Amino acid sequence: MDERNNTALGEANPKDAQNVQEEAKMENTESTQAQMEQVNTEPLCTEETAQTATDEAAGTEAKAPKMVVEDTADAEETAKTTAEETTITETIKPKEEPAQPIQPQKKDHSMIAIVIGLLVFAAVLAFCWKMIGGKTTDTHADTGVIYAKDNNLHVFDLQNKAQIAQGISAGGKYNSYYSAWGTMFSEDGTDMYYAIHVQQDNTFDLYHRAIDKNEADIAIDTGVSDYMVSKDGNHMMYTKSVGEKTELYLFDGTQSFLADDNIYADAATYAISKAGDYIMYCKKAADGSTLELYARAVQQEAEPILLEEHTAIAMMSAQTNKIYFAGEIQPEAGAEVSPNPRFAAYEYTFGKDPVQLMEGVTYLEVMPNGKDVLLMGESKENVLYADLITDDLAEKDAAIQEGDEGYEGKKMRDEIRTMMTNGEGIHPVLQVAYIYSNGKLNEVATDVISATAIKHDRAYAVCYQAEQPEKMPISLLESTDAIEYGYYSSLYYGMPKVSLVNATGGSWRLEGEAVQPKNLFLSDDATMVGYYDMDMATGSLSLCVAKVGGEVLLREKNIETAAFLHKSHDLVYYKDYINGMGTMCIWDGKDTQEIEKVGGLHIAPDQATVYYLKNMNNAMGQGDLYVWQDGVSTQLDTGVNNTQYKYNGNLTYIKNYDFNQSLGDLYYYNGKESIQLDTDVTAIYMF
């Protein structure tokens, strides 16, 4: 499913606000909704390289975000967060793990593994299995509010409220304070799937309700561990654990049936198309050595279709309902098996044969727009010795004869000169980036260390590229091995450049001392860009805002988060966060409006609107709720603990929350006024 922008604002706790949030994040990792949105990594590289990259990633990981916004900036490594501070986070989701592209390694040379491992930057999206995307500007229906009260499930369908089920928990955990999970509407709001009788092992009983029909709810199954719904809600897939096996089931709106009895149990390795016409999933081969990728129609009589026997990655696109996957290229019969596997990338349209996109793929990612694909592949050209070496001893060496002092050194240098003349070089360790769009594979960058797609309707990516190293004087080379060592060292110690690229051939280098590829963001029309630059002397980050291809127009320090307003070049950013509050700023390209004592904010993805909490009471975890629009702030309520944005200017929130009793009052803001829905509410379901 595509990610819904549901958020919690102004979370604080007299017991310990930071611990509350950490617990909430850990609990939600186990939730059904979190599992469906979770990004898992499956690095395909040598153990040494993977470990090196993982270690580096762990060292550069950003601390928990304090803001509510779709994209959060890397927090600087400071000690400003304390247990008493108000912690504001996006609706609790599992954190994304750093990615490791498949590493092209052609030589048994430890330096290659070391250099590539160190150069892989930790900010790229995970090399993952999952369903990706949906248009980033979709206008979602406000599908209603689902909430928990007295361990019972309640729903407000924008007209009426009703209790629909008793006994949410049967000893298991379904919420963390005022955030709950496991129950949701379909994207169009016509169907509701809910989990009750949650056990200690996190399994539950799954039910279906047709919102627009006067029919009894359907008890789908018991002992369910995970489920995923099509866009229209008419079809759903779910899993159950039976002994050591994981069974996969399909539900067609009236009944469920077994689709496969022993699938790969990773929650991110299966998906249902938005159209609801077919599913993808993986199974281990009979000998357990490889993963097999399957597609299957949702009809009960359908047979699974084997797409790939040696699967490295598989992702389903939301907008086009296609599968993009990479499989290991198998040697021909009788050929020697290489210790360094190569992979090919494919596109699969349901009902047709897979189409190969490229060989030698090292990374594959369906872009957030749900239709285009970012790939990386092996560089085909060697790094020529002639491009790495300058001959500063040509004249002097020409005069040295056999038997002269220094002849052995000259002899070694002559070997290097011969290799330079013959066009010899080093096998490339850097990569080429491609974007597959509208049926065409477009090369967008070379000398790439890593790349990641940007959340945008258009096909944009950010690439981390190595600069061309300065040539090494031949006088400093003591052996031919020193050439490779010098080249790899230049990659490691050199300052990479960061470029913004798109599928149509545009490429723009981003200005800065040490631009951070993570958390780059674009305006809706893709003419303005925001990113973070690091001061190498102090390690502090600065927000930079510029026209794409132009000079930096705004530079600000101590930024926690930033984003452009919907269909606007106006920028909202949050800075100087300390002791639970900071300053919210709105920059229109010339002037900046500042609002102080803000505890958290949410930038609406579908309107030029910001919701924020001000005047935080950290002891109670509450603040005054405001909405900012067209330069004017309007107070909506007081004593608010958290919110869930419902799109189209609508908002659900809890106020007067008692953390000791886990109870608060539930309100719904319809864009004009706030309506009290209920009292003594435990949690809102985030979906």
Side-chain angles (χ1 to χ4, degrees):
M1 293 183 63
D2 62 323
E3 295 183 357
R4 302 297 301 274
N5 192 2
N6 305 317
T7 52
L9 274 173
E11 300 175 358
N13 184 357
K15 299 176 183 178
D16 186 338
Q18 184 71 26
N19 288 340
V20 170
Q21 285 307 318
E22 292 303 319
E23 178 184 351
K25 285 185 283 188
M26 288 187 289
E27 293 289 351
N28 271 289
T29 303
E30 301 175 353
S31 73
T32 298
Q33 179 67 4
Q35 286 175 325
M36 286 187 289
E37 296 180 347
Q38 186 172 7
V39 177
N40 291 312
T41 59
E42 189 72 22
L44 294 167
C45 53
T46 66
E47 181 178 351
E48 177 183 8
T49 305
Q51 186 61 51
T52 306
T54 302
D55 291 344
E56 182 185 21
T60 58
E61 182 181 1
K63 62 187 178 183
K66 307 181 187 65
M67 301 303 98
V68 180
V69 67
E70 288 188 309
D71 298 300
T72 52
D74 271 322
E76 297 172 17
E77 294 298 322
T78 66
K80 62 184 178 182
T81 304
T82 67
E84 295 301 320
E85 288 181 347
T86 304
T87 302
I88 300 93
T89 65
E90 193 171 5
T91 293
I92 304 164
K93 302 175 185 173
K95 86 182 165 184
E96 295 180 349
E97 297 294 334
Q100 335 266 323
I102 310 172
Q103 302 300 346
Q105 297 189 15
K106 292 298 185 179
K107 299 181 63 175
D108 184 16
H109 196 304
S110 61
M111 192 65 182
I112 297 177
I114 294 171
V115 171
I116 287 295
L118 291 173
L119 287 174
V120 171
F121 73 101
V124 297
L125 285 177
F127 199 124
C128 58
W129 312 69
K130 64 180 293 186
M131 180 171 179
I132 297 293
K135 289 184 66 178
T136 57
T137 56
D138 276 348
T139 300
H140 297 272
D142 183 356
T143 51
V145 181
I146 307 172
Y147 62 96
K149 177 179 178 178
D150 298 328
N151 199 33
N152 299 323
L153 195 66
H154 296 252
V155 63
F156 170 66
D157 63 5
L158 305 185
Q159 294 182 346
N160 302 294
K161 62 179 181 179
Q163 176 180 311
I164 63 171
Q166 295 181 333
I168 302 175
S169 172
K173 187 76 170 175
Y174 70 90
N175 73 300
S176 181
Y177 295 93
Y178 32 62
S179 297
W181 54 85
T183 291
M184 71 183 72
F185 287 105
S186 60
E187 189 173 314
D188 63 4
T190 58
D191 293 81
M192 176 181 170
Y193 291 85
Y194 60 92
I196 58 174
H197 307 147
V198 180
Q199 306 295 319
Q200 289 185 351
D201 63 358
N202 293 318
T203 61
F204 50 86
D205 299 347
L206 183 60
Y207 284 75
H208 171 256
R209 163 173 288 209
I211 299 298
D212 55 354
K213 298 178 182 179
N214 188 22
E215 299 176 352
D217 294 0
I218 299 174
I220 298 173
D221 211 335
T222 62
V224 176
S225 56
D226 186 28
Y227 70 98
M228 188 178 295
V229 181
S230 65
K231 180 177 180 179
D232 61 10
N234 291 336
H235 292 88
M236 183 267 298
M237 63 188 297
Y238 65 94
T239 60
K240 297 178 63 173
S241 295
V242 180
E244 296 182 355
K245 294 183 178 181
T246 298
E247 296 180 340
L248 177 65
Y249 290 81
L250 282 165
F251 175 73
D252 62 7
T254 59
Q255 63 179 348
S256 62
F257 55 87
L258 181 66
D260 209 311
D261 63 356
N262 189 20
I263 72 164
Y264 188 58
D266 190 326
T269 62
Y270 46 81
I272 185 169
S273 66
K274 271 201 169 184
D277 54 347
Y278 80 106
I279 62 174
M280 79 167 195
Y281 61 94
C282 287
K283 298 182 66 171
K284 282 191 175 182
D287 61 4
S289 62
T290 62
L291 281 180
E292 299 171 340
L293 175 65
Y294 290 87
R296 186 195 191 281
V298 295
Q299 289 75 24
Q300 187 168 0
E301 66 276 9
E303 293 292 331
I305 303 167
L306 177 61
L307 301 181
E308 174 60 48
E309 294 181 343
H310 301 82
T311 312
I313 179 174
M315 307 173 83
M316 183 180 285
S317 62
Q319 291 299 313
T320 61
N321 289 319
K322 295 182 179 182
I323 297 174
Y324 294 93
F325 65 94
E328 184 177 341
I329 300 172
Q330 298 303 298
E332 296 182 1
E336 183 180 351
V337 178
S338 170
N340 299 308
R342 297 180 73 244
F343 303 86
Y346 299 86
E347 176 186 59
Y348 173 72
T349 302
F350 185 61
K352 300 181 180 181
D353 292 333
V355 176
Q356 182 174 301
L357 302 181
M358 63 178 290
E359 288 190 4
V361 64
T362 58
Y363 181 85
L364 183 154
E365 173 192 346
V366 175
M367 303 181 82
N369 63 11
K371 56 184 180 180
D372 299 315
V373 185
L374 174 66
L375 307 100
M376 288 193 293
E378 305 161 348
S379 295
K380 296 179 176 62
E381 302 294 333
N382 284 342
V383 181
L384 299 179
Y385 292 134
D387 293 334
L388 298 177
I389 301 166
T390 180
D391 192 349
D392 60 337
L393 293 179
E395 184 176 345
K396 181 178 180 179
D397 279 355
I400 298 177
Q401 302 296 318
E402 186 175 358
D404 293 345
E405 183 180 355
Y407 177 75
E408 290 302 319
K410 168 191 172 344
K411 185 177 178 181
M412 180 273 297
R413 290 189 289 272
D414 283 343
E415 292 178 10
I416 295 176
R417 293 183 180 107
T418 300
M419 292 189 294
M420 293 169 64
T421 303
N422 292 341
E424 296 182 44
I426 302 170
H427 189 88
V429 295
L430 299 175
Q431 302 165 93
V432 179
Y434 304 85
I435 293 179
Y436 180 72
S437 180
N438 296 321
K440 183 179 179 182
L441 188 65
N442 308 286
E443 181 180 313
V444 297
T446 58
D447 297 330
V448 176
I449 299 166
S450 198
T452 185
I454 297 171
K455 186 175 183 181
H456 202 272
D457 281 346
R458 306 178 194 179
Y460 278 83
V462 57
C463 294
Y464 206 53
Q465 296 172 276
E467 292 274 31
Q468 181 67 28
E470 292 186 14
K471 288 189 174 183
M472 296 173 278
I474 200 170
S475 59
L476 298 181
L477 300 177
E478 298 179 354
S479 67
T480 54
D481 288 342
I483 304 173
E484 294 194 19
Y485 183 85
Y487 172 63
Y488 296 134
S489 296
S490 70
L491 292 182
Y492 176 62
Y493 291 108
M495 181 60 66
K497 66 178 181 179
V498 178
S499 299
L500 175 68
V501 300
N502 65 16
T504 59
S507 179
W508 304 271
R509 182 168 181 171
L510 301 178
E511 176 187 325
E513 182 180 358
V515 175
Q516 305 299 295
K518 189 176 182 180
N519 297 319
L520 183 147
F521 56 96
L522 288 168
S523 60
D524 287 344
D525 63 3
T527 63
M528 296 287 289
V529 61
Y531 57 93
Y532 295 87
D533 185 29
M534 178 181 289
D535 184 320
M536 296 300 292
T538 65
S540 63
L541 292 174
S542 295
L543 169 68
C544 301
V545 180
K547 288 185 178 181
V548 172
E551 296 181 352
V552 172
L553 303 175
L554 177 71
R555 186 180 289 269
E556 288 280 350
K557 293 184 177 181
N558 301 321
I559 304 298
E560 298 291 341
T561 189
F564 292 108
L565 287 174
H566 179 63
K567 293 183 177 180
S568 169
H569 291 173
D570 293 352
L571 179 80
V572 178
Y573 59 95
Y574 187 76
K575 67 176 185 177
D576 300 335
Y577 181 87
I578 188 170
N579 295 328
M581 285 183 281
T583 300
M584 183 178 84
C585 303
I586 303 95
W587 178 69
D588 64 4
K590 294 182 180 179
D591 301 319
T592 301
Q593 179 183 354
E594 294 190 353
I595 301 174
E596 298 180 342
K597 298 182 179 179
V598 172
L601 59 93
H602 171 71
I603 303 171
D606 60 339
Q607 297 182 355
T609 305
V610 186
Y611 298 88
Y612 63 95
L613 292 180
K614 186 178 179 181
N615 304 322
M616 295 299 298
N617 181 338
N618 288 343
M620 300 298 293
Q622 300 172 354
D624 300 334
L625 177 62
Y626 285 79
V627 58
W628 180 96
Q629 190 171 31
D630 297 327
V632 178
S633 290
T634 303
Q635 184 171 338
L636 303 181
D637 212 332
T638 61
V640 175
N641 297 88
N642 82 317
T643 73
Q644 180 189 33
Y645 185 64
K646 307 294 290 184
Y647 284 84
N648 307 314
N650 303 322
L651 199 71
T652 302
Y653 61 91
I654 288 181
K655 61 179 291 185
N656 303 325
Y657 196 82
D658 186 325
F659 284 93
N660 294 315
Q661 300 185 52
S662 295
L663 298 175
D665 300 329
L666 179 63
Y667 285 77
Y668 178 80
Y669 175 69
N670 60 14
K672 296 180 180 179
E673 61 178 347
S674 292
I675 304 168
Q676 187 178 51
L677 299 184
D678 215 332
T679 59
D680 297 331
V681 169
T682 301
I684 307 171
Y685 279 85
M686 301 294 182
F687 53 87

